[in-house]
Amino acid sequence: MDWLIELLDKVPLDQALAVSAFAIIANRLIAGFITPLFEKYKLDKFWLMYISWIVAGLLVWATDINLFEAYIPNQLIGTILTALVAGGSANIVYDRTDAGTTVVIEGAKMNESLKDIKE
């Protein structure tokens, strides 16, 4: 566990928070503007992952953040890796917030209301 603490000590907190914010911004932009177009034109949503990487990458590129500066001194490679992290995080945010929730009630039948189950 010491290796994780050492790793986290080398990542600037302000940059990590900015990348997290970029992931959320990319997620909301994709969910608000791009996903409705995919649904309207019945396009394969598989490609949303790559679009979110591009959006997050543009945000990271605009701010020139390199989360891996302590390990990878090359700014270009560090920025590209940071963009991949931000884009992948946007996908995780999307999976957790927009995927919906399924509730399974043991013993319930299709089209049975909760009121009927309680009784």
Side-chain angles (χ1 to χ4, degrees):
M1 207 56 164
D2 292 336
W3 64 270
L4 180 61
I5 294 170
E6 184 179 327
L7 175 71
L8 293 175
D9 281 342
K10 293 183 180 180
V11 175
L13 183 61
D14 59 336
Q15 291 183 358
L17 290 174
V19 170
S20 298
F22 294 156
I24 293 170
I25 291 167
N27 168 263
R28 294 292 89 203
L29 288 172
I30 299 299
F33 296 113
I34 307 299
T35 303
L37 292 174
F38 271 63
E39 290 172 355
K40 180 178 180 179
Y41 296 110
K42 296 176 178 45
L43 299 173
D44 186 10
K45 291 186 181 179
F46 169 79
W47 300 106
L48 289 175
M49 173 179 61
Y50 298 106
I51 295 170
S52 76
W53 271 341
I54 291 169
V55 170
L58 290 173
L59 292 170
V60 169
W61 197 274
T63 57
D64 205 30
I65 292 178
N66 178 3
L67 287 180
F68 303 97
E69 193 169 5
Y71 304 101
I72 303 171
N74 185 318
Q75 185 65 28
L76 177 64
I77 294 172
T79 302
I80 290 170
L81 290 174
T82 303
L84 289 174
V85 168
S89 300
N91 290 328
I92 292 170
V93 170
Y94 177 80
D95 290 343
R96 295 294 158 235
T97 59
D98 295 340
T101 304
T102 303
V103 177
V104 177
I105 300 173
E106 193 172 322
K109 296 177 183 163
M110 291 294 280
N111 299 325
E112 188 174 25
S113 71
L114 288 177
K115 181 180 176 189
D116 295 336
I117 294 171
K118 288 182 183 177
E119 294 174 353

